[in-house]
Amino acid sequence: EPEVTQTPSHQVTQMGQEVILRCVPISNHLYFYWYRQILGQKVEFLVSFYNNEISEKSEIFDDQFSVERPDGSNFTLKIRSTKLEDSAMYFCAGQGLAAQETQYFGPGTRLLVL
Amino acid sequence: AQKVTQAQTEISVVEKEDVTLDCVYETRDTTYYLFWYKQPPSGELVFLIRRNSFDEQNEISGRYSWNFQKSTSSFNFTITASQVVDSAVYFCALVVHRDDKIIFGKGTRLHILP
């Protein structure tokens, strides 16, 4: 059964450094998302991406964040200058052809900013 | 605005007991979708069920059952004859038709004691 994959599974970085989190969605998915979960808290929406552009973003998704799908398979989340409060689990999700279909999540990348 | 409330922060039951996880949602949209996701200790988000607002039929899948009641805006989840492997955080979630981001509740941490 196809699944969403994410790399790396864990990343430790210094404050102010750039990080890129990578996701490979299921091949026939067209809608892509990033969510984050600060330790012990609920999962929060960051951004949705469709047809090679951002369709919606949350207040969390400020100028430090960017997303792209450079090669038609990978879907990346870049944080330009990490802050301590960016430490969280980051989940990628994908959704099929029809809007409001079920979103399937990757295993997550646990980011720790020191 | 949309909101999902999971009033039970943490529940502990002894193995083989039945347990119900409560979920109350808020939305003014008439078309919406409700979900339950499971987050085991390993951290990934596992899709369990999706329900659309026009389908109030309850569903049973093995030991899992879901009770959707529009009159009380609730979508409760029952595990029958619980097992230790059911120990996880369970998230109830909502997507409204004019949007595609998932609104998650804060989750209920379920401990199944042997």
Side-chain angles (χ1 to χ4, degrees):
Chain A
E1 187 175 319
E3 58 184 23
V4 180
T5 59
Q6 289 185 243
T7 54
S9 57
H10 295 78
Q11 172 122 26
V12 180
T13 190
Q14 294 289 325
M15 190 171 59
Q17 294 295 304
E18 175 184 286
V19 295
I20 297 176
L21 310 183
R22 292 183 168 80
C23 169
V24 179
I26 296 170
S27 59
N28 64 349
H29 281 179
L30 296 179
Y31 298 81
F32 310 106
Y33 307 84
W34 283 100
Y35 292 80
R36 82 168 185 194
Q37 183 185 30
I38 294 172
L39 185 64
Q41 297 187 23
K42 68 177 179 180
V43 182
E44 301 173 290
F45 168 77
L46 289 179
V47 65
S48 57
F49 191 85
Y50 171 69
N51 202 23
N52 280 323
E53 60 183 26
I54 291 174
S55 48
E56 187 175 355
K57 58 184 181 180
S58 71
E59 295 175 349
I60 303 167
F61 194 88
D62 62 21
D63 292 344
Q64 293 300 312
F65 291 89
S66 62
V67 290
E68 64 175 0
R69 197 155 183 252
D71 56 10
S73 62
N74 290 288
F75 178 49
T76 62
L77 173 69
K78 181 192 292 186
I79 310 175
R80 287 191 186 81
S81 178
T82 50
K83 302 188 280 283
L84 296 177
E85 54 264 37
D86 294 328
S87 296
M89 178 79 100
Y90 289 82
F91 292 102
C92 169
Q95 179 180 294
L97 297 174
Q100 280 88 43
E101 283 194 12
T102 299
Q103 294 181 25
Y104 290 92
F105 285 79
T109 292
R110 190 173 296 280
L111 176 66
L112 178 60
V113 182
L114 302 176
Chain B
Q2 294 79 43
K3 186 179 178 182
V4 176
T5 301
Q6 294 180 255
Q8 304 151 308
T9 305
E10 202 158 342
I11 300 175
S12 294
V13 300
V14 177
E15 199 174 17
K16 297 183 183 173
E17 286 185 1
D18 299 348
V19 58
T20 295
L21 309 183
D22 298 333
C23 173
V24 173
Y25 62 93
E26 294 176 32
T27 179
R28 292 183 179 176
D29 288 72
T30 56
T31 302
Y32 51 89
Y33 308 85
L34 295 164
F35 301 82
W36 277 94
Y37 285 86
K38 174 182 179 180
Q39 187 175 41
S42 49
E44 71 271 26
L45 285 168
V46 179
F47 164 75
L48 294 179
I49 190 170
R50 164 197 168 96
R51 259 291 172 266
N52 73 51
S53 53
F54 299 112
D55 182 5
E56 281 194 78
Q57 203 169 23
N58 292 326
E59 180 155 339
I60 298 175
S61 175
R63 295 185 297 107
Y64 295 172
S65 62
W66 292 269
N67 183 357
F68 176 28
Q69 297 209 345
K70 286 179 78 170
S71 60
T72 55
S73 297
S74 65
F75 187 43
N76 296 338
F77 172 31
T78 297
I79 301 175
T80 304
S82 59
Q83 299 176 3
V84 172
V85 293
D86 296 326
S87 296
V89 180
Y90 290 86
F91 291 97
C92 181
L94 167 71
V95 174
V96 298
H97 183 65
R98 55 178 173 78
D99 203 350
D100 59 356
K101 65 177 180 287
I102 299 177
I103 308 295
F104 284 88
K106 291 186 176 181
T108 297
R109 184 175 297 277
L110 178 63
H111 301 279
I112 308 298
L113 307 172

